[in-house]
């Protein structure tokens, strides 16, 4: 019961923090001031920022971060010793982040918010005059 309460409390605190300190109503996409999470999505999944509403993208990223941290807090509450909790939290951070952002990136691609990357056409090889094609 304590682990569920700590999970919900963590979600609530992180959601409030994100709304107060990160999200603003007048958020505009500025390529020079992009958070690392958005840069990861743009480079790995070729997200087209002209198609994406930046405010809702940042809102979704905040919820993903809150869920990831809440999940880690939920898992570490099953252990009693502080050093074990810290070790498990450190070991879980990277996999949770990578899995959650890959799922979110694939979702954005399926929604059609990625750039259309067309394969480059292959160059035709020129034959020398007088040669026969086999």
């Amino acid at each position: 019961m304590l682990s569920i309460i700590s999970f919900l409390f963590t979600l609530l605190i992180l959601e409030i923090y994100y709304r107060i300190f990160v999200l603003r109503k007048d958020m505009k996409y500025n390529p020079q001031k992009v958070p690392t999470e958005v840069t990861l999505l743009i480079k790995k999944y070729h997200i087209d920022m002209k198609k994406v509403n930046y405010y809702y993208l940042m809102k979704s990223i905040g919820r993903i971060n809150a869920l990831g941290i809440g999940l880690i807090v939920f898992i570490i509450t099953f252990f009693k010793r502080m050093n074990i909790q810290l070790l498990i939290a450190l070991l879980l951070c990277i996999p949770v982040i990578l899995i959650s952002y890959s799922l979110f990136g694939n979702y954005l691609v399926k929604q059609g918010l990625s750039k259309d990357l067309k394969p480059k056409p292959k160059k035709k090889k020129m034959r020398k005059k007088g040669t026969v094609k086999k």
Side-chain angles (χ1 to χ4, degrees):
M1 185 66 173
L2 179 66
S3 57
I4 294 172
I5 293 172
S6 63
F7 172 74
L8 293 174
F9 185 71
T10 303
L11 285 179
L12 179 69
I13 293 298
L14 289 173
E15 185 71 25
I16 291 170
Y17 169 80
Y18 215 78
R19 285 187 185 262
I20 292 173
F21 295 110
V22 178
L23 295 177
R24 295 177 304 278
K25 289 288 183 186
D26 60 341
M27 288 185 82
K28 301 287 183 203
Y29 173 67
N30 183 357
Q32 282 77 31
K33 296 181 180 180
V34 176
T36 309
E37 300 94 346
V38 177
T39 305
L40 173 83
L41 291 171
I42 291 172
K43 289 189 178 192
K44 187 172 182 183
Y45 297 100
H46 307 287
I47 302 300
D48 189 4
M49 292 308 292
K50 294 176 185 171
K51 296 179 182 178
V52 176
N53 185 338
Y54 188 66
Y55 178 77
Y56 290 109
L57 178 70
M58 292 299 294
K59 202 172 180 180
S60 299
I61 287 173
R63 290 200 174 124
I64 289 170
N65 291 338
L67 279 172
I69 294 171
L71 178 67
I72 292 171
V73 168
F74 176 75
I75 291 171
I76 66 170
T77 55
F78 292 113
F79 299 95
K80 302 292 181 216
R81 295 185 57 169
M82 184 66 156
N83 55 358
I84 301 292
Q85 288 179 342
L86 184 62
L87 179 67
I88 291 173
L90 288 173
L91 291 175
L92 285 177
C93 275
I94 301 298
V96 167
I97 289 170
L98 289 176
I99 291 169
S100 61
Y101 281 113
S102 65
L103 291 173
F104 184 59
N106 288 331
Y107 171 76
L108 291 175
V109 169
K110 285 184 181 178
Q111 293 295 318
L113 300 175
S114 64
K115 295 177 184 172
D116 296 327
L117 298 175
K118 296 178 183 174
K120 295 179 182 176
K122 294 182 180 179
K123 293 183 180 178
K124 294 182 180 178
K125 292 185 179 180
M126 299 294 289
R127 290 187 296 163
K128 293 181 182 178
K129 279 190 173 182
T131 58
V132 180
K133 187 176 178 183
K134 296 181 180 180

